[in-house]
Amino acid sequence: MVGDPEKCKRASDLLLYEDGIYLQPINYPTAPRGTERLRITATPYHDDVLIDQLAEALADVWRRVALPLEGCVIDAAE
């Protein structure tokens, strides 16, 4: 969960423009204020390599946008 509409949009934009990964930002009114998030939609065509790339990209963006990692399991970029 992102929890901030501006950071949610920024994270989504970074993922799209820098990594070619589209994650839909979910903001108010779809999600209550303070619970903004990114929607991840996996398909059978997303293999382990693509999932690893997503995890690395998310870890990078989470740090760049200064989002909290409490409760998150992100080891890909370590």
Side-chain angles (χ1 to χ4, degrees):
M1 185 169 326
V2 177
D4 178 283
E6 288 83 21
K7 288 183 177 185
C8 191
K9 175 72 168 117
R10 174 90 173 121
S12 177
D13 287 348
L14 285 170
L15 287 164
L16 180 60
Y17 297 119
E18 294 188 9
D19 298 296
I21 298 170
Y22 176 69
L23 296 184
Q24 183 178 9
I26 307 300
N27 293 311
Y28 179 83
T30 303
R33 287 186 173 94
T35 66
E36 294 82 7
R37 62 199 70 203
L38 296 172
R39 178 176 290 152
I40 299 173
T41 305
T43 73
Y45 297 105
H46 291 101
D47 60 16
D48 290 343
V49 172
L50 290 173
I51 292 169
D52 288 344
Q53 289 171 350
L54 170 61
E56 290 175 14
L58 281 171
D60 177 58
V61 166
W62 233 248
R63 288 181 185 92
R64 291 175 61 191
V65 179
L67 292 168
L69 291 173
E70 305 88 49
C72 295
V73 179
I74 299 181
D75 293 343
E78 303 296 347

